[in-house]
Structure formats: C-alpha cells, structure tokens
Amino acid sequence: MTKAFAVARWEYLEKVKSKAFLIGLFLTPVIMIAMGVLPGFFAAQSDSTSRTLAVLAKDNSIAPVLAERLQSSYTLPSGLPNYVVMPLIASPAMDVKVLEAQAVQRLEAGEFEGFIVLTPGDSVVEYRSKVVGDFEISSRIRETLHGILAEERVRELGLDEDILSKLHVPLDVRIVKIEDEGKDGGGFEKVFISAYVFLMMLFLLIMTSGQMLVRSMIEEKSNRIVEVLVSSCSPTDLMVGKVLGLSGLGLTQMAFWAAIGIAVSAKFNISVVDPAQAGLLILYFILGYLFYAAVFIGAGAPFNTEQEAQQVTSYLVLFLVLPIVLAIPAMKDPGAPWIKVLSFVPLLTPTMMALRIPILMPEWWEILLSTVIMVVSIYFGMIAAGRIFRIGVLSTGKTPGFKEILRWIRTG
Amino acid sequence: MLTVQDLVKRFSSVVAVNGVTFTVNAGEIFGLLGPNGAGKTTTIRMILHILEPDGGSILYNGSPFTEATRNVLGYLPEERGLYKKSRVMDTLVYFGELRGLTRTAARERAHLWLKRLELSGQENRKVEEFSKGNQQKIQFIASVLHDPSLIILDEPFSGLDPVNQLLFKDILLDMKQDGKAIILSTHQMDQAERLSDTLCLINRGAVVLGGAVRDVKQRYGKNTLHVEFDGDGGFMEHLPGVQRTLLYERSAELELETGAMTRTVIDAINPRVELRKVELLEPSLHSIFLQVVGDPADGQGEAAQ
C-alpha cells in the first residue's frame, strides 16, 4: 500500500501545481458567482443612483402631482429618491409638439434620461427614453398615475375627503403586495440557485478531474511511462493511488469552493443550504466522485489518444448534464415518480440527489437505498475498471472493441 | 540471477513468444537480440511482470516473482518518456519510491547520480527544458536509482552522442563489475558485440542462437574476409568463391564458400580497388545476425536502424 500512497501523493501534488487545476480552481467560482448570484443581485437592486426624469403636459392639472408622487414614493436603499422628476408645463399659447421637441433636445443633452408625456382626457401615457427595456418604470408610472386619477375622480364626484384618504390606503397596500410576491419569487430563486450551484459544482468537479485522469493516463500510455509504473508496482496499487490522489484533488477543490461559497453567502446574507443538507450533499459528492473515477478509468484506459477517449467520455458528460436539464421540471414537481426512479441509476444518483436535496429532502429510505446502490456500484466499478486498466493501459495497437473490453472485464 | 524457461505468450491467435529459454548471470551483460517483432519486448515485459506468461517459468535468484521482486528490477524502456511538466528531482524521487526506496534515500542517490551524469545543479528544472539526450540520462537514472540487481535496458544508446555513449558504456561496465545482471536489448550489433558477454538471438518468438559471444563467433570459424579499401567496391557483390557479401562505403565483409581460396578472392579484388587492409576473421555479429535471421534484404533494413 505504501506504493499506492506514493502514487496518490504524486498524482495530487503534480496536478495541484498544474495550470489547468489552478485556473479551474479560481475560474469556476467566478463563473458560478456570475451565473448564480449576480442576476439575483442585480434584480434586487435595479438602481443604485437616482434617475432624472421629466413629466411633460399641456396644463398644470396632473403633471406636478405625478412628478411629486414619483419622487416621494420610490426611494433607493441609500434613502435618496429613486426618481428625480421635473415637470415641464407648456404655456397656453405653446404647442405641445414644440415642447416635446425641446424635451427631446434636453434629453439628448443629458438633462434627463426619459420623459413622460401626458395628454389630458387620453388614457394613453407615453414614456420616451433611449432605454425602453425598463419594465419597472412603466409599471410604476401606471401605479402612480392610477392613484392620482382615482383621487381626481373622487374629488370630481364631490365625495368626502375621508373617502379619499380611505381610497389612498388600498392603493398603497397594492404596491406592498407586489413586493410580497417578489419576495416569494426570491425564495424560489434561492432554491433554484442553490440546487443549480451544487449541480454545477459536482458537474465541473467530476468533469475536470475525470478529464485530468484520462489525460494523464493517456500521456503515461503514449510515452510508455506506464510500463515502468506497472513493473514498479501492481496495477491495483497504481489505480488505487490514482483514485486517492484525484479524490484529494477533488476535496481540495471542494473545500476551496465551499470557503468561497460561505464567504459569499455571508457577505450577501443568503443561506444557500443548511448544515444537515450539506452533510448529505458531501456524502453524494464523495460517492459520485469515486464512482465516476472508476468509470473514467475504465473508459479512458483502452484508448491511445485523447481524441479517441473523448468520444467516449463525452457520453459520460451527458449523464452529468441530464440533471441540470431536469432541474426546472424537478423544481416544479420534486416528488414525481420519474425523478425518484432516476435517483437510483448509479450514473445519475449523485447529481439527482444534489438536485433534490435543496428542493425537497428525499425520504430516508431513498437516501439509504441510493447510498447502498452507489457503494455496491463503486465496488464493482473499481474491480471492472482495474481489469480494464491492467490490460488496456498496455495495449497500444488498434483500439479494442466493446466486446473485447467486456472479455477483459470477465476474464480479469 | 535470472532463469527463463520455456516461456510462451499468445495474443489471441498469434504466438508472440514460443518456448524461449535462457539464463542471465550476475556480473554479466546479456545481449538480447532479434529483428523487430521477434518477441524481444514481449519477453522483457514478462520478465518485468508487466505481462503474465501463458506458459513456462521465470525465476529470480531461483524463486518465482513476488511483490518484493519489483524492487530488484530496473527498466529503461525503448520509448523515452518522462513527465514533461515535472521537476527532475520530484520525478526521480517518485520513481525511486515506486521501487521501494524511502524519499530521503531516493533524494540522496539522485544527487549522486545526477553528479555522475553531469547534471548537477539542475534538480529543480522541468524535464521538458532538457535536451533529448539529457532526458535520456534522467530516465536512465530513474531506472537504476534503487540499485537493482537485474537491469533491463532497451536500446540505451540510441539518441546519445559519442561522448555520452562512452559515459553510458563506462557505467554499464561498472555495474557489471558490481555484480549486476544486465540485459541489453538492441539492434546495434556493433554495440552488442563490444559489450555483451552472452547473447541470445530471438526470431519469430524462438531462440535461434545463444551462448557466450566468443563461442558463438567461433562456431562460425574464421571464414570471413574483412576488407577495407578505397574506390568503387560494387563488383564485390558477386565474386566467385564468396557466398555472402556485406558491402559498406569503404569496407566489406566477404564470407567465403567452403574450400574457397583466400588468395583467389584477394586477387580478384586487388586490381580493381586500392586495398588498405585485409583480414581473415570470424564474421561480425552483424553478419551472423543476418545469416541466422534469414532474408538478407529484409535483415539489412532491420540492422541498419
């Protein structure tokens, strides 16, 4: 076993020092944060500085009120108003068109970034700006204007000022309610993001280390180092060493990412996962990692070039990607039978479970059964991989067919 | 040190090694010769326990292979290969460890060997930064670092300049003096002839010639005229009384037919080229190789490599 540890140590240290590993180590969290955290972050805080707008109208009836309301109703987290609004009122003799033309010039000059055009008696309100993708502002204009118009009607009908104030309350409530819904959405996002982040992490971890394993095996094969290795220590020592070294590599990566994850989630005050879930996720991480290590060894050993090996390993990637594709349907209905069934397919178990755990904790028997299936699969996977490795790693002629490889596994 | 008995290895339908038998003694350089595809590499792989034989036995100091045997074997494969991105010292320590050395011992020995092969002070450079010849030296160190008692060297001289060939030769002779058993697998017949004490010529999976180099050559007797000359020697391909000619740019080996007169042959050559040297000797190992392996046209191609 000392030789297996020597192999493990070598595999670990040489790969930890490699550029590919370092790049993956730092780049992956960056991508992950960019993908998972930033959209939510931006959605929550659409504006960070006040935006200057104008309200343009033929008369004084509504525009100043709208301007005042828009300015006072929405504030930034810093306490400053979200919108600074200036009313532009046409003099009685002035044509609105001229005023509009002036407003466009002032907008071009950068005095404000958009203006609202009110036409009395018309139900169409225009918002003109260079940036028209902002749905938030249109809904806010609608809400505010709706309130003002309602109050106006109340006054026109000569109703009590009390009724007016009473009417005012439900309008406010309605705005709050939308924000409540938004919070619900945030909850959904959080589950989605944490499930996604774990899936992506598992996927990237297995992919990068699996490919590293295959690449190093093929390198050793093509320059015949493997002959020296196999004559120096038994193929079992060699394989165990490789798996151990690579697992160490995976754990290093995981620990590093987890530290970043904890730091990031502490910073933004989001709890991605609770500790009980984390324990289970780590279990599936390790099981998945070991199983895929065996699969990658078996899949990579018979080939002589990286290209050939990649044709096979890219199919393995499909198995890893599948749960990512299934994330959204699983989110909608985490208890669906087909999701449960897929959780017991060894190639899918770790990722399916990583997907399910943050959404809805699987039942205890499912966890137990899937763990047993994984352990048994790892055991037989390692034996089969060892047999393929022993023969495949020395075969340099033509690539063996599937039948030939099956024969290797059977005869050992 | 090593006894190989009736070794057989089959690959699906092909019999790669068919009943090979030989013995390698301590303190001896053993030339394992044969054309490409003769079964040399397969034999070596079975000795190194990389491949399992289908039949026969391999004994190391009289005992069958155990895990401990790995630590007394040293192997320099024909294809050169090291981890390109790794540092020299790390690589050497790793290979030493795999053959049972402790890390400290491996490091100490690596320093000594690097010094001997004139690579001191380069321990922390990456392998890929070295020239091919120096990479070969590093690989050689990796194969002998653990002081193996049976060393298998596959084409150790290819790719080395004459100075380094000499350096390697000295090391081999020192190791022989130390009582190591060295198997030298090569196509370079002149190297094999100069270095080997014993040889074993394998063709089509079987031993076709074996024994002490001196005995083997004597078996062929002094029937070969070694000629050195200036001029066009093309006509020597077909001379009466000569059954086989090995013609080079300025020299030739003429194997005489039984009963042919040396003088007749010399008289036939003398008027047509400027003779520098004529000697009646045993055939060279090269010539013997070609005779035994057969088809000279094919054999010449092999030997020229």
Side-chain angles (χ1 to χ4, degrees), chain B residues 268-285:
Chain B
I269 302 168
N270 203 19
R272 303 182 68 172
V273 289
E274 192 72 23
L275 273 179
R276 300 212 161 276
K277 184 177 160 191
V278 181
E279 211 173 351
L280 187 65
L281 288 171
E282 296 106 351
S284 67
L285 211 50

mmCIF file of all heavy atoms in Angstrom, chain B residues 268-285:
data_model
loop_
_atom_site.group_PDB
_atom_site.id
_atom_site.type_symbol
_atom_site.label_atom_id
_atom_site.label_comp_id
_atom_site.label_asym_id
_atom_site.label_seq_id
_atom_site.Cartn_x
_atom_site.Cartn_y
_atom_site.Cartn_z
ATOM 1 N N ALA B 268 41.173 -11.283 -57.012
ATOM 2 C CA ALA B 268 40.061 -10.738 -57.791
ATOM 3 C C ALA B 268 39.770 -9.289 -57.413
ATOM 4 O O ALA B 268 39.313 -8.503 -58.227
ATOM 5 C CB ALA B 268 38.805 -11.595 -57.568
ATOM 6 N N ILE B 269 40.017 -8.930 -56.159
ATOM 7 C CA ILE B 269 39.715 -7.583 -55.696
ATOM 8 C C ILE B 269 40.843 -6.617 -56.017
ATOM 9 O O ILE B 269 40.616 -5.487 -56.455
ATOM 10 C CB ILE B 269 39.484 -7.574 -54.164
ATOM 11 C CG1 ILE B 269 38.351 -8.534 -53.774
ATOM 12 C CG2 ILE B 269 39.126 -6.175 -53.678
ATOM 13 C CD1 ILE B 269 38.275 -8.776 -52.290
ATOM 14 N N ASN B 270 42.037 -7.059 -55.758
ATOM 15 C CA ASN B 270 43.218 -6.213 -55.753
ATOM 16 C C ASN B 270 43.354 -5.267 -56.946
ATOM 17 O O ASN B 270 43.598 -4.079 -56.741
ATOM 18 C CB ASN B 270 44.468 -7.075 -55.585
ATOM 19 C CG ASN B 270 45.619 -6.254 -55.030
ATOM 20 O OD1 ASN B 270 45.391 -5.187 -54.453
ATOM 21 N ND2 ASN B 270 46.829 -6.717 -55.224
ATOM 22 N N PRO B 271 43.172 -5.761 -58.203
ATOM 23 C CA PRO B 271 43.384 -4.848 -59.329
ATOM 24 C C PRO B 271 42.325 -3.748 -59.415
ATOM 25 O O PRO B 271 42.527 -2.747 -60.083
ATOM 26 C CB PRO B 271 43.273 -5.767 -60.552
ATOM 27 C CG PRO B 271 43.118 -7.144 -60.067
ATOM 28 C CD PRO B 271 42.768 -7.109 -58.636
ATOM 29 N N ARG B 272 41.177 -3.915 -58.787
ATOM 30 C CA ARG B 272 40.054 -3.017 -59.055
ATOM 31 C C ARG B 272 39.872 -1.920 -58.002
ATOM 32 O O ARG B 272 39.201 -0.932 -58.262
ATOM 33 C CB ARG B 272 38.759 -3.831 -59.189
ATOM 34 C CG ARG B 272 38.917 -4.880 -60.290
ATOM 35 C CD ARG B 272 37.678 -5.671 -60.500
ATOM 36 N NE ARG B 272 36.584 -4.876 -61.065
ATOM 37 C CZ ARG B 272 35.460 -5.419 -61.473
ATOM 38 N NH1 ARG B 272 35.265 -6.727 -61.360
ATOM 39 N NH2 ARG B 272 34.509 -4.663 -61.972
ATOM 40 N N VAL B 273 40.414 -2.121 -56.801
ATOM 41 C CA VAL B 273 40.338 -1.072 -55.762
ATOM 42 C C VAL B 273 41.697 -0.935 -55.083
ATOM 43 O O VAL B 273 42.560 -1.797 -55.242
ATOM 44 C CB VAL B 273 39.289 -1.383 -54.674
ATOM 45 C CG1 VAL B 273 37.888 -1.257 -55.207
ATOM 46 C CG2 VAL B 273 39.543 -2.743 -54.049
ATOM 47 N N GLU B 274 41.861 0.158 -54.370
ATOM 48 C CA GLU B 274 43.063 0.380 -53.570
ATOM 49 C C GLU B 274 42.849 -0.300 -52.221
ATOM 50 O O GLU B 274 42.110 0.205 -51.376
ATOM 51 C CB GLU B 274 43.253 1.894 -53.383
ATOM 52 C CG GLU B 274 44.579 2.303 -52.820
ATOM 53 C CD GLU B 274 45.734 2.149 -53.818
ATOM 54 O OE1 GLU B 274 45.455 2.146 -55.055
ATOM 55 O OE2 GLU B 274 46.864 2.027 -53.359
ATOM 56 N N LEU B 275 43.476 -1.444 -52.009
ATOM 57 C CA LEU B 275 43.277 -2.157 -50.738
ATOM 58 C C LEU B 275 44.042 -1.485 -49.607
ATOM 59 O O LEU B 275 45.183 -1.084 -49.761
ATOM 60 C CB LEU B 275 43.742 -3.605 -50.882
ATOM 61 C CG LEU B 275 42.710 -4.601 -51.417
ATOM 62 C CD1 LEU B 275 43.341 -5.991 -51.518
ATOM 63 C CD2 LEU B 275 41.483 -4.659 -50.543
ATOM 64 N N ARG B 276 43.397 -1.334 -48.473
ATOM 65 C CA ARG B 276 44.060 -0.749 -47.304
ATOM 66 C C ARG B 276 44.331 -1.817 -46.258
ATOM 67 O O ARG B 276 45.315 -1.782 -45.549
ATOM 68 C CB ARG B 276 43.187 0.341 -46.677
ATOM 69 C CG ARG B 276 42.880 1.484 -47.623
ATOM 70 C CD ARG B 276 42.743 2.801 -46.872
ATOM 71 N NE ARG B 276 42.891 3.907 -47.796
ATOM 72 C CZ ARG B 276 44.071 4.385 -48.148
ATOM 73 N NH1 ARG B 276 45.179 3.865 -47.640
ATOM 74 N NH2 ARG B 276 44.152 5.370 -49.012
ATOM 75 N N LYS B 277 43.376 -2.767 -46.143
ATOM 76 C CA LYS B 277 43.520 -3.767 -45.094
ATOM 77 C C LYS B 277 42.736 -5.005 -45.491
ATOM 78 O O LYS B 277 41.618 -4.912 -45.999
ATOM 79 C CB LYS B 277 42.954 -3.185 -43.792
ATOM 80 C CG LYS B 277 43.105 -4.063 -42.564
ATOM 81 C CD LYS B 277 42.557 -3.277 -41.360
ATOM 82 C CE LYS B 277 42.202 -4.204 -40.212
ATOM 83 N NZ LYS B 277 41.447 -3.493 -39.195
ATOM 84 N N VAL B 278 43.333 -6.167 -45.258
ATOM 85 C CA VAL B 278 42.620 -7.415 -45.495
ATOM 86 C C VAL B 278 42.879 -8.321 -44.297
ATOM 87 O O VAL B 278 44.010 -8.441 -43.841
ATOM 88 C CB VAL B 278 43.103 -8.129 -46.770
ATOM 89 C CG1 VAL B 278 42.319 -9.416 -46.992
ATOM 90 C CG2 VAL B 278 42.986 -7.228 -47.982
ATOM 91 N N GLU B 279 41.821 -8.908 -43.753
ATOM 92 C CA GLU B 279 41.980 -9.715 -42.551
ATOM 93 C C GLU B 279 41.002 -10.882 -42.619
ATOM 94 O O GLU B 279 39.843 -10.707 -42.984
ATOM 95 C CB GLU B 279 41.663 -8.847 -41.328
ATOM 96 C CG GLU B 279 42.440 -9.213 -40.092
ATOM 97 C CD GLU B 279 42.195 -8.209 -38.962
ATOM 98 O OE1 GLU B 279 41.573 -7.161 -39.213
ATOM 99 O OE2 GLU B 279 42.620 -8.484 -37.838
ATOM 100 N N LEU B 280 41.489 -12.078 -42.232
ATOM 101 C CA LEU B 280 40.600 -13.228 -42.198
ATOM 102 C C LEU B 280 40.188 -13.468 -40.742
ATOM 103 O O LEU B 280 41.025 -13.757 -39.894
ATOM 104 C CB LEU B 280 41.307 -14.466 -42.756
ATOM 105 C CG LEU B 280 40.413 -15.695 -42.937
ATOM 106 C CD1 LEU B 280 39.352 -15.453 -43.994
ATOM 107 C CD2 LEU B 280 41.250 -16.913 -43.290
ATOM 108 N N LEU B 281 38.898 -13.284 -40.481
ATOM 109 C CA LEU B 281 38.417 -13.349 -39.096
ATOM 110 C C LEU B 281 37.094 -14.111 -39.039
ATOM 111 O O LEU B 281 36.564 -14.550 -40.054
ATOM 112 C CB LEU B 281 38.167 -11.932 -38.567
ATOM 113 C CG LEU B 281 39.361 -11.041 -38.258
ATOM 114 C CD1 LEU B 281 38.878 -9.631 -37.967
ATOM 115 C CD2 LEU B 281 40.138 -11.584 -37.069
ATOM 116 N N GLU B 282 36.532 -14.186 -37.796
ATOM 117 C CA GLU B 282 35.160 -14.679 -37.670
ATOM 118 C C GLU B 282 34.245 -13.610 -38.256
ATOM 119 O O GLU B 282 34.617 -12.449 -38.318
ATOM 120 C CB GLU B 282 34.778 -14.856 -36.187
ATOM 121 C CG GLU B 282 35.565 -15.889 -35.442
ATOM 122 C CD GLU B 282 36.574 -15.266 -34.484
ATOM 123 O OE1 GLU B 282 36.754 -14.027 -34.561
ATOM 124 O OE2 GLU B 282 37.164 -15.996 -33.690
ATOM 125 N N PRO B 283 33.047 -14.003 -38.647
ATOM 126 C CA PRO B 283 32.107 -12.998 -39.122
ATOM 127 C C PRO B 283 31.721 -12.067 -37.961
ATOM 128 O O PRO B 283 31.801 -12.462 -36.795
ATOM 129 C CB PRO B 283 30.893 -13.808 -39.584
ATOM 130 C CG PRO B 283 31.005 -15.115 -38.895
ATOM 131 C CD PRO B 283 32.472 -15.354 -38.684
ATOM 132 N N SER B 284 31.315 -10.841 -38.289
ATOM 133 C CA SER B 284 30.832 -9.943 -37.228
ATOM 134 C C SER B 284 29.470 -10.441 -36.746
ATOM 135 O O SER B 284 28.797 -11.206 -37.428
ATOM 136 C CB SER B 284 30.700 -8.526 -37.768
ATOM 137 O OG SER B 284 29.669 -8.490 -38.730
ATOM 138 N N LEU B 285 29.075 -9.944 -35.584
ATOM 139 C CA LEU B 285 27.778 -10.325 -35.039
ATOM 140 C C LEU B 285 26.666 -9.894 -36.007
ATOM 141 O O LEU B 285 25.667 -10.578 -36.179
ATOM 142 C CB LEU B 285 27.589 -9.630 -33.673
ATOM 143 C CG LEU B 285 26.754 -10.372 -32.648
ATOM 144 C CD1 LEU B 285 27.206 -11.800 -32.493
ATOM 145 C CD2 LEU B 285 26.781 -9.648 -31.321
#
